[in-house]
Amino acid sequence: MVTEGSPGAAEVERWSADHELIVVAAGRRSVAELFPRDDRRSPYDRPQRSLLAGLYSGIAPAGFSYNISPGCGEIFQMPMWTRDGLAAGMLIEAIPGSPLEPVTRLSYLDDPRAFTRTLEKALAEHAPRIAERIDPGSFAPLGPDDLLQGAVTPVVRTPVAKLSTGRVALAIGDAWITNDPITGQGANLGSHCAWVTAEAIAGGGPYGEEFGRSVAAEMWRVAGPVTEWSNAFLQPPAEHVLRLFAGAAVHRGLADRFVNLFSDPVAAWAVFSDPAQVDALLAAAPEVSLPSAP
């Protein structure tokens, strides 16, 4: 297993002489050299969002909150258990060049108070329901180590590399697929890939190219919907998805169903990619007055 910060392709080649299979789960140098970009499955060549993730105090507890600011981005907020107990986790996904982007690039260490005040103002404008639950006197990041800022270029890589030793390297998790966190599937997909690979290895070899392609095909049964779903949510929502959002905003049952879909990405993408399935969900809440299509 080659992990983050490990050496590059030359070392993977060398190690393969003593192992039947090399599984690469992360690692910037080895990933770039061994597993080229799969253009068929990678529609983006640059980050689609500027990100600010953090853990905060001073936000009254509530359930999962998904806020869309048209043309600016998305803001997710949910309760999370931390070393200090229950805290508010929040992810801001700002469209590059939008009015929401500057807050994702602010330095907390340079001026913690200015960072917090600016973030409060941004939430009031782009996610007012979250802002209503903020206590200005206690709202702040838990600490400087509880913030993460940056950007991700979504990419799917070729999962199997033939090595000079005649052995193969298999990419799983982030080494194979890097998705924007907009649908929150990164850790789950990495775990799924690890289980699929472990079960295949336990089933026996030979561990050659055919084995690698078979494992990749099995992983793609979940990774495909996750990738399609994540990439689609980086674009303006389709009309049927907007109608689902509108219904979930006023109907608790629809909102619960929407949030629960995040735990089943295959079912989630089946719903979000199919207007008929969305219509079926909306029809199950007849008491809600839903907006008509434009």
Side-chain angles (χ1 to χ4, degrees):
M1 183 74 74
V2 180
T3 58
E4 184 69 27
S6 297
E11 285 76 15
V12 173
E13 292 267 5
R14 176 167 53 82
W15 294 334
S16 71
D18 299 320
H19 298 83
E20 295 180 71
L21 175 70
I22 299 291
V23 179
V24 183
R28 294 168 186 161
R29 287 175 53 202
S30 57
V31 165
E33 296 174 55
L34 290 170
F35 308 108
R37 171 191 174 93
D38 184 344
D39 291 330
R40 297 172 304 136
R41 292 172 169 174
S42 305
Y44 305 117
D45 61 3
R46 67 196 67 185
Q48 300 299 298
R49 296 291 189 273
S50 180
L51 307 174
L52 169 61
L55 298 171
Y56 299 87
S57 61
I59 302 180
F64 177 83
S65 176
Y66 176 27
N67 305 263
I68 298 177
S69 180
C72 295
E74 302 81 20
I75 300 175
F76 301 84
Q77 195 270 306
M78 68 190 75
M80 300 185 73
W81 284 106
T82 74
R83 65 185 182 278
D84 298 318
L86 194 64
M90 185 160 55
L91 169 64
I92 297 178
E93 294 243 348
I95 296 173
S98 74
L100 184 57
E101 182 186 21
V103 73
T104 67
R105 301 186 180 280
L106 281 178
S107 170
Y108 175 75
L109 291 177
D110 285 351
D111 192 336
R113 188 174 178 184
F115 175 94
T116 302
R117 286 201 307 264
T118 303
L119 180 55
E120 274 191 75
K121 292 178 181 177
L123 293 174
E125 180 177 355
H126 300 282
R129 290 191 177 181
I130 296 177
E132 290 171 358
R133 294 188 282 111
I134 286 178
D135 172 16
S138 59
F139 175 63
L142 296 188
D145 294 332
D146 298 301
L147 293 171
L148 185 64
Q149 293 166 283
V152 174
T153 299
V155 63
V156 178
R157 299 184 179 277
T158 302
V160 181
K162 183 70 176 291
L163 305 175
S164 62
T165 57
R167 306 286 170 78
V168 301
L170 174 66
I172 68 172
D174 286 347
W176 178 32
I177 300 173
T178 303
N179 284 316
D180 186 280
I182 193 166
T183 63
Q185 296 298 314
N188 290 338
L189 181 57
S191 177
H192 172 78
C193 289
W195 279 107
V196 168
T197 302
E199 290 177 355
I201 291 172
Y207 303 109
E209 288 184 82
E210 183 178 348
F211 172 86
R213 287 193 294 268
S214 175
V215 174
E218 182 61 27
M219 292 189 297
W220 188 252
R221 289 162 61 90
V222 171
V226 167
T227 300
E228 295 290 341
W229 180 22
S230 298
N231 286 339
F233 267 46
L234 291 170
Q235 296 296 318
E239 187 275 331
H240 66 281
V241 176
L242 284 175
R243 289 191 288 114
L244 177 58
F245 289 167
V250 296
H251 188 279
R252 178 60 182 267
L254 276 176
D256 289 344
R257 174 62 175 147
F258 172 82
V259 171
N260 287 335
L261 283 171
F262 280 71
S263 66
D264 188 345
V266 176
W269 181 235
V271 170
F272 291 126
S273 63
D274 186 352
Q277 289 212 36
V278 169
D279 288 341
L281 282 179
L282 297 177
E287 69 273 26
V288 178
S289 178
L290 298 173
S292 58

